[in-house]
Amino acid sequence: MNSDSAICYDVDMRKLGMFGIGLALLGAFLVWADPVWAQQIPIPKVTLGLEQAQRPEDMVFSVQLLLLFTVLALAPTLLVMITPFTRIVIVLSFLRQALGTQQAPPNQVLVGIALFMTLFITTPMLEEANRESLQPFLQKKITQEQAFDRGIKPFRTFMLRQVRQNDLELYMNMAKLKRPGKPEDVPTHVLIPAFITSELKTAFIIGFIVYLPFLVVDMVVASTLMSMGMMMLPPTVISLPFKLVLFVLIDGWNLISQALVGSFL
């Protein structure tokens, strides 16, 4: 071992020794101060265990807790599948692409806007589900099956109002089911995929309409630059300020919000 290596090794050992002494002092301080801290700061105790149910009420609480965890796990999927969230977030994504602003607004902002617009539209349905399903179930006035049927009813009504007839017939035929006599006879497992397909189609139609004015601006700017002989200048660099000014002058966010919310009413 040469002298330089010996010096480096000696320095590392000193650092390691100082670090060990520091840890020992910190541990001793915590042990000494632990009773004092325990008296000043209340520390919560969390326990989770399994015990045998002694009463029927204990079994009901366990089932409710299991259902709560299930709903929380499926909440993101339910948010996307049976609410206006899909249409709104897709249209906002098309709007950002049409403006050509890359990551402005960022994805978090778009998702947040779509989330709160979804909450705004679905508030009457949530209130009805809470009034007709959740509260009677918690008060033990109805069974679990009745609570599910009442809770899904306002969302079924919303999906039946928005679904396209062709999409509904497509999934009815693939499921090999007979044509229902009334909308209430449509099974939920058929209604949900038909609703999602309809939402995708509607979102792309609205996105196309939103895209057209900005496409015209891009074409005008590109033609102007070509006529002026500016071949090397990217048209998007020049058209972006014009598109932003146009969007602000027509109060674009107001129009988009009104169109999206109005499409569900």
Side-chain angles (χ1 to χ4, degrees):
M1 181 182 295
N2 54 29
S3 59
D4 294 337
S5 301
I7 293 174
C8 293
Y9 179 76
D10 185 44
V11 172
D12 292 339
M13 291 300 295
R14 290 180 181 178
K15 291 182 178 179
L16 183 59
M18 294 299 295
F19 181 72
I21 294 173
L23 285 179
L25 293 176
L26 179 60
F29 174 76
L30 291 177
V31 171
W32 173 80
D34 181 71
V36 179
W37 288 4
Q39 294 178 1
Q40 296 180 354
I41 303 176
I43 301 176
K45 178 181 179 181
V46 179
T47 60
L48 181 63
L50 296 176
E51 298 180 358
Q52 185 176 1
Q54 303 295 334
R55 299 175 301 172
E57 292 79 3
D58 297 337
M59 185 63 184
V60 172
F61 176 76
S62 300
V63 173
Q64 292 177 350
L65 187 62
L66 179 62
L67 290 176
L68 177 61
F69 287 151
T70 303
V71 171
L72 292 177
L74 297 178
T77 303
L78 295 176
L79 175 66
V80 174
M81 298 303 174
I82 63 176
T83 63
F85 182 83
T86 301
R87 182 189 305 185
I88 296 174
V89 75
I90 290 177
V91 172
L92 293 179
S93 299
F94 273 114
L95 174 63
R96 185 176 64 180
Q97 293 180 11
L99 287 171
T101 53
Q102 302 300 325
Q103 294 297 323
N107 293 330
Q108 293 85 349
V109 175
L110 292 185
V111 173
I113 294 173
L115 180 61
F116 280 99
M117 291 183 69
T118 301
L119 181 62
F120 175 79
I121 297 171
T122 57
T123 295
M125 294 182 285
L126 295 175
E127 292 177 350
E128 181 180 351
N130 179 64
R131 183 178 61 255
E132 300 295 335
S133 174
L134 181 59
Q135 295 303 323
F137 177 72
L138 295 179
Q139 297 172 6
K140 302 180 182 179
K141 296 181 179 180
I142 59 176
T143 63
Q144 179 180 342
E145 292 77 9
Q146 292 174 335
F148 176 78
D149 294 337
R150 293 186 182 184
I152 198 65
K153 183 178 179 180
F155 294 94
R156 281 179 52 87
T157 303
F158 169 77
M159 289 187 289
L160 286 170
R161 189 169 62 247
Q162 300 296 328
V163 69
R164 296 175 182 270
Q165 186 68 25
N166 296 335
D167 298 327
L168 191 58
E169 292 179 355
L170 170 65
Y171 284 94
M172 290 293 294
N173 294 332
M174 288 192 295
K176 298 180 180 180
L177 299 176
K178 295 182 180 179
R179 184 183 181 90
K182 52 184 179 179
E184 290 76 12
D185 296 335
V186 178
T188 303
H189 73 278
V190 174
L191 177 59
I192 292 178
F195 170 75
I196 297 172
T197 305
S198 299
E199 287 295 286
L200 291 174
K201 183 176 181 179
T202 304
F204 274 72
I205 293 175
I206 299 176
F208 171 75
I209 297 174
V210 170
Y211 219 107
L212 281 180
F214 302 104
L215 181 61
V216 172
V217 175
D218 288 332
M219 294 176 62
V220 171
V221 171
S223 301
T224 304
L225 292 177
M226 186 174 295
S227 62
M228 296 175 63
M230 299 180 180
M231 304 291 185
M232 303 301 295
L233 184 62
T236 55
V237 176
I238 306 299
S239 63
L240 177 58
F242 289 99
K243 290 189 290 186
L244 292 178
V245 170
L246 174 64
F247 190 72
V248 171
L249 289 178
I250 65 175
D251 200 359
W253 289 113
N254 193 323
L255 295 177
I256 290 294
S257 302
Q258 184 178 2
L260 286 174
V261 175
S263 64
F264 293 101
L265 301 180

